[in-house]
């Protein structure tokens, strides 16, 4: 096994965990938003449970997985750059991959900020909003994975 193989494997595992959290957290927000029309004490009990799950998912899985994905992705770039040269960073497929990383990180940060609003009771997002946006990370991931696996070019 080479360092590159190890870095790639660890990167893939971190991204799987990160994606799982990015896909599940909006679902928890949707369920939370839908408690508004429930009667007490069910509304308070369900929101308490959902918010506990949101915090645990954010702190135990999402944050560490994103950090690990960035760390192992950086290691892969370093290994590639020192091995074949740094020119690959300007290839269209790598630019698409890196743009996807920025987009997923932005979505992650949006979800964290929204979590603070949910817990403060100031969120205006509906369950419908969360269901409609739930697949955004998956669409971004499709572009990223196909970019990396095909290493497409423009000419």
């Amino acid at each position: 096994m080479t360092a590159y193989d190890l870095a790639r494997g660890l990167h893939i595992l971190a991204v799987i965990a990160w994606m799982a959290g990015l896909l599940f957290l909006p679902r928890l927000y949707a369920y939370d938003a839908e408690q508004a029309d429930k009667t007490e004490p069910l509304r308070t009990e369900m929101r308490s449970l959902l918010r506990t799950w949101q915090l645990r998912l954010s702190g135990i899985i999402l944050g560490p997985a994103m950090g690990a994905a960035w760390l192992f992705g950086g290691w892969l770039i370093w290994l590639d750059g020192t091995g074949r040269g740094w020119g690959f960073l300007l290839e269209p497929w790598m630019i698409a991959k890196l743009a996807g990383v920025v987009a997923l990180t932005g979505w992650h940060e949006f979800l964290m900020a929204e979590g603070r609003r949910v817990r403060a009771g100031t969120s205006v997002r509906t369950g419908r909003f969360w269901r409609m946006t739930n697949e955004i990370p998956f669409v971004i991931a499709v572009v990223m994975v196909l970019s990396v696996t095909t290493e497409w070019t423009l000419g």
Side-chain angles (χ1 to χ4, degrees):
M1 175 179 15
T2 66
Y4 189 84
D5 292 334
L6 179 61
R8 184 174 48 184
L10 292 171
H11 181 64
I12 290 168
L13 291 170
V15 170
I16 288 170
W18 189 24
M19 287 297 298
L22 290 175
L23 293 169
F24 188 52
L25 189 58
R27 207 39 92 163
L28 292 176
Y29 291 163
Y31 299 151
D32 193 296
E34 291 165 353
Q35 298 309 305
D37 60 347
K38 303 289 192 271
T39 59
E40 290 296 347
L42 180 62
R43 175 179 46 227
T44 300
E45 290 174 15
M46 284 302 297
R47 279 195 164 153
S48 176
L49 279 173
L50 289 164
R51 291 174 186 183
T52 297
W53 296 340
Q54 292 164 19
L55 278 171
R56 287 181 181 168
L57 179 61
S58 299
I60 297 170
I61 296 173
L62 266 172
M66 181 183 74
W70 271 86
L71 176 73
F72 297 128
W75 187 18
L76 281 170
I77 288 172
W78 182 79
L79 290 169
D80 247 354
T82 57
R84 67 172 161 169
W86 298 98
F88 78 98
L89 289 171
L90 299 176
E91 294 288 333
W93 66 270
M94 183 52 108
I95 293 169
K97 160 71 185 233
L98 295 174
V101 171
V102 170
L104 284 179
T105 302
W107 181 248
H108 176 110
E109 293 305 320
F110 171 76
L111 291 177
M112 296 303 100
E114 189 62 26
R116 290 186 291 276
R117 287 188 284 276
V118 166
R119 288 185 296 282
T122 60
S123 176
V124 296
R125 310 281 182 210
T126 64
R128 184 170 189 261
F129 170 84
W130 290 115
R131 282 183 174 76
M132 290 178 66
T133 60
N134 192 56
E135 302 307 320
I136 288 173
F138 182 73
V139 172
I140 295 168
V142 167
V143 172
M144 294 168 67
V145 168
L146 292 176
S147 293
V148 171
T149 57
T150 63
E151 293 190 10
W152 57 272
T153 61
L154 295 176

